Amino acid sequence: MVTPVAFADPPLLNAAGVHQPWALRAIIQVRTGSGLVGLGETYGDADHLALLRRAAPALRGLDVFDTNGLTARVAAVLRGADAPDAHGLTGPTSPQKSLARVVAPYEVALLDLAGQLTDRPVHALLGGKVRDAVPFAAYLFYKWDRHPGGEPDAWGAALDPDGIVAQARAMVDRYGFRSLKLKGGVFEPDAEIAAVRALRRAFPDLPTRLDPNAAWTPQTSTRVAAELAGELEYLEDPTPGRVGMAEVAAAASMPLATNMCVVAFDHLPEAVRLGSVGVVLGDHHYWGGLRASAQLAAICATFGLGLSMHSNSHLGISLAAMVHLAAATPTLSYACDTHIPWAEDDIVTAPLSIVDGAVPVPDAPGLGVRLDEAALDRLHRQYLACGIDRRDDEAYLRTVDPGFTRRVAAW
Ligand code: GKR
Ligand code: MG
């Protein structure tokens, strides 16, 4: 069963625009003949939903352990279909990536079931946990204090270095994060350099990264990298494309990371050849699931690339899947990203929690989280009522600034 849901999301700014008042997800339930339910979570945009729904009937009768069969059946019904996203913040889309995006939540649900059937946690099915807690970074955003026409939210505005430091303080106090990530690409690069410097002064012991989502030219990126030498553990997607990234990487003292120019397996050979990135930010939601992400980890290790994890707005089923995957990934080299602090709602009865900046790895069978049926119903009704059926940060910002266009190599 595929159920679209919506949950309230603050006005977080990025190079593509601003988050709409509602973030969309699709909740997957796969039921066995014996009545067990496996859970998955993925994007809730309309085009993706259509592909998820097209795949669902083809999975009837599939062996829970047959994840290769899952991919074959989904590929057979999608037949090269592609579901573009409007925000473009996770790189270009392609039929291969769409297939991976549809397979992923079903694979997670099958692994949840396999774990329940064998009485083992998902991380055990992925080779066993190599850590007892998975570190996450505080994901800082420039933001307005409210959505247009709405009430102020609890986080308040963050539109300058002081606002970003205050937001970081609130996140670190509440969750104990031990690394920081600033989403950039919103203001002139010098303003974002100032924000990073302010963070470094306020939190000298916390490794920090900056991610402008390809809003800068290679020249600007190289200048920012020089100005922030010694300040950033990595610089994430400063500029578009593997060629531009390679140009910056050749000059930058810190590694470049990406969730935009290497987002599918066939991007890896060129990225390795050119030296475009030092760190790949995997994301099981579009790399094809947990086992495919483990393959990505092996390739990264082979070519000496660092590995961490990208995130989009998500709920607790995704968090659980991310935690099991990270727990079983020996080569994970940086704290992972998560949007969880920005989500005030959840869809599971006992969400995994962030303690001292890390999520303790659950050892219960399967994913170790259970669907909150009342929350599913409530969030589905929110989806039906909210009037949004796809993420479009650019169009939403245009409602306030009609001349706005998404920033791509704009500075
Ligand atoms: O939530 O606005 C956002 C982020 O910008 C997200 O959409 C990106 O995909 O977190 C992402 C990133 O690291 O680029
Ligand atoms: Mg990124």
Side-chain angles (χ1 to χ4, degrees), residues 11 16 19 26 85 100 102 148 155 175 190 200 218 220 257 278 303 317 372 382:
H19 284 209
D85 57 45
V102 174
W155 291 97
Y175 297 100
D190 286 329
R200 298 292 297 141
T220 301
F303 291 99
I317 299 170
D372 180 337
Q382 285 177 178

Side-chain angles (χ1 to χ4, degrees), residues 91-327:
T93 180
S94 65
Q96 181 204 9
K97 194 172 160 202
S98 287
L99 172 61
R101 290 208 298 191
V102 174
V103 165
Y106 289 113
E107 187 236 25
V108 169
L110 292 190
L111 288 169
D112 186 19
L113 284 170
Q116 293 176 49
L117 285 165
T118 55
D119 207 21
R120 306 304 304 269
V122 165
H123 61 72
L125 307 179
L126 299 174
K129 66 177 176 182
V130 294
R131 51 184 65 81
D132 290 322
V134 173
F136 284 89
Y139 200 158
L140 312 173
F141 279 84
Y142 291 107
K143 68 180 287 297
W144 300 327
D145 73 337
R146 71 192 75 190
H147 282 284
E151 295 295 316
D153 63 38
W155 291 97
L159 296 166
D160 56 20
D162 286 349
I164 289 293
V165 168
Q167 188 186 97
R169 181 86 55 207
M171 284 235 182
V172 168
D173 286 351
R174 185 156 163 198
Y175 297 100
F177 289 117
R178 291 180 215 148
S179 31
L180 307 174
K181 162 168 174 165
L182 175 61
K183 172 62 50 175
V186 175
F187 294 112
E188 296 273 345
D190 286 329
E192 298 186 354
I193 291 173
V196 169
R197 291 205 173 117
L199 286 170
R200 298 292 297 141
R201 276 194 301 277
F203 304 94
D205 299 332
L206 303 194
T208 298
R209 8 157 143 175
L210 172 62
D211 174 13
N213 280 119
W216 306 335
T217 63
Q219 293 71 20
T220 301
S221 307
T222 302
R223 176 176 75 78
V224 175
E227 296 209 25
L228 290 178
E231 306 287 359
L232 294 178
E233 63 173 340
Y234 57 68
L235 178 58
E236 185 173 329
D237 286 311
T239 202
R242 292 183 287 279
V243 172
M245 287 283 279
E247 186 183 329
V248 181
S253 58
M254 71 286 283
L256 301 192
T258 190
N259 60 269
M260 297 182 78
C261 77
V262 180
V263 294
F265 285 99
D266 62 352
H267 299 163
L268 280 158
E270 186 185 56
V272 169
R273 197 169 60 248
L274 297 177
S276 309
V277 295
V279 183
V280 175
L281 304 173
D283 181 332
H284 75 270
H285 300 91
Y286 60 76
W287 279 91
L290 304 187
R291 291 181 342 127
S293 298
Q295 289 166 359
L296 170 65
I299 294 172
C300 288
T302 304
F303 291 99
L305 299 173
L307 178 73
S308 191
M309 203 180 277
H310 162 266
S311 143
N312 270 313
S313 304
H314 67 93
L315 296 167
I317 299 170
S318 281
L319 180 66
M322 292 155 74
V323 165
H324 282 277
L325 172 61

